Amino acid sequence: TVCADLVNHRDRPIWGVLDARLEGVQVTREVYLGSRDTKTVTLTAAEHPELRLAHPRLWWPHDMGQPFLHVLDLRFVAGPEVFDLVSVPFGIRHVADYRTAEGHRGFKINGREVLIKGAGWTDDLLLADTPETIEAELQYVRHLHLNCIRCEGIWGKDQTLYDLCDHYGILMMVGWSCHWEHEQYVGRPVSERYGGVTSPEDIELVSRSWEDQLLWLRHHPSIFVWAVASDKLPAPELERRYLDIFRRRDPTRPYLA
């Protein structure tokens, strides 16, 4: 499934074509955008059978196979003019979770059970990381025979970490850690059960921030789970918002609270 948000920044409407190309396949869709209009365009295999790849080269964690990556080229064209274009690397893989008889959460990649061998990952204290230092540290992760990192706190100042985890076949547990779950962080009392995001204003802010993160990162095959809580549960109203965002934006991998 190919999904794109198209935005017309002009004061007049425009007719154009969204052109998607991957693995020798080309799919197009004519699109009308009104003045200052935003439209989400989704291309599915149900409408475009050529998007259903018969023998895909799969993305695997490095200890289970090769982390094969494809490239999606997207363009929006009106007449002879290319208004925008982007190349998006991605991987084809299926992620699922399950419960053991003891009630523990397990995960499967491409139908095979995977033993998660991971550790916490934090950025440099002063955000002084470079692409070279991040790559060296991820090579340490593989050398230690780990196959997963769990992002703690800051998520990196760009997509370098995620791109390299895709490339090296390192699974990522991405999501909020305990930012709003303890009194010393939020500056007010927090219940024993739920985090500190409880007011309508905070729920709106955090929900919108979460949706932005999903849109920013959802094409990365290394991310195998979205984690929305660390030490406590999200408040029920916040979790309802989380679940609605997941269903709309990325139902392709498990949700973990």
Side-chain angles (χ1 to χ4, degrees):
T1 299
V2 178
C3 184
D5 289 340
L6 303 181
V7 183
N8 181 9
H9 297 283
R10 297 185 170 190
D11 291 323
R12 59 183 185 275
I14 184 172
W15 273 101
V17 174
L18 179 65
D19 182 309
R21 305 183 188 201
L22 68 152
E23 289 295 287
V25 172
Q26 180 181 10
V27 176
T28 61
R29 171 79 60 83
E30 288 191 359
V31 181
Y32 173 80
L33 291 168
S35 171
R36 305 289 177 179
D37 193 13
T38 298
K39 185 173 293 185
T40 299
V41 179
T42 303
L43 309 173
T44 68
E47 299 173 284
H48 304 278
E50 58 269 36
L51 288 175
R52 191 176 302 278
L53 304 180
H55 302 286
R57 289 168 288 180
L58 300 179
W59 186 94
W60 290 95
H62 71 88
D63 54 349
M64 298 176 71
Q66 293 297 315
F68 193 87
L69 293 173
H70 307 259
V71 177
L72 167 69
D73 291 313
L74 279 174
R75 299 189 305 164
F76 185 77
V77 182
E81 186 174 357
V82 178
F83 280 78
D84 201 3
L85 62 125
V86 63
S87 291
V88 183
F90 70 98
I92 297 176
R93 55 96 183 93
H94 182 263
V95 184
D97 60 349
Y98 64 94
R99 293 283 186 178
T100 67
E102 297 79 17
H104 302 302
R105 182 79 62 96
F107 293 92
K108 294 181 179 181
I109 306 293
N110 300 327
R112 289 172 53 189
E113 293 182 8
V114 55
L115 176 63
I116 304 296
K117 298 173 288 184
W121 178 280
T122 55
D123 290 349
D124 181 90
L125 184 63
L126 302 178
L127 297 185
D129 295 304
T130 67
E132 291 76 20
T133 60
I134 294 173
E135 183 162 16
E137 289 165 2
L138 289 175
Q139 288 175 347
Y140 293 150
V141 170
R142 285 182 45 143
H143 187 67
L144 286 163
H145 299 290
L146 302 179
N147 61 8
C148 176
I149 60 173
R150 192 269 185 160
C151 293
E152 295 276 354
I154 301 164
W155 286 19
K157 57 183 181 285
D158 56 30
Q159 296 209 17
T160 299
L161 174 64
Y162 309 92
D163 290 339
L164 288 172
C165 282
D166 293 344
H167 174 73
Y168 283 118
I170 298 172
L171 296 167
M172 301 186 75
M173 179 182 287
V174 173
W176 306 139
S177 49
C178 52
H179 309 63
W180 306 288
E181 296 179 357
H182 298 286
E183 182 175 343
Q184 64 266 36
Y185 298 153
V186 296
R188 59 177 179 269
V190 177
S191 76
E192 289 294 319
R193 182 173 178 81
Y194 299 120
V197 180
T198 55
S199 71
E201 295 81 8
D202 286 349
I203 288 174
E204 175 65 21
L205 174 62
V206 172
S207 298
R208 290 177 62 184
S209 299
W210 184 250
E211 187 169 18
D212 287 344
Q213 301 287 11
L214 263 66
L215 292 174
W216 188 50
L217 297 172
R218 65 183 178 182
H219 64 279
H220 290 285
S222 54
I223 298 175
F224 75 102
V225 66
W226 296 116
V228 299
S230 174
D231 304 348
K232 299 184 179 184
L233 294 171
E237 180 55 36
L238 176 62
E239 185 159 35
R240 281 190 283 270
R241 290 286 298 274
Y242 282 155
L243 289 169
D244 176 63
I245 291 168
F246 279 120
R247 294 183 185 110
R248 288 189 291 107
R249 293 301 194 180
D250 184 22
T252 69
R253 67 200 101 195
Y255 161 100
L256 179 65

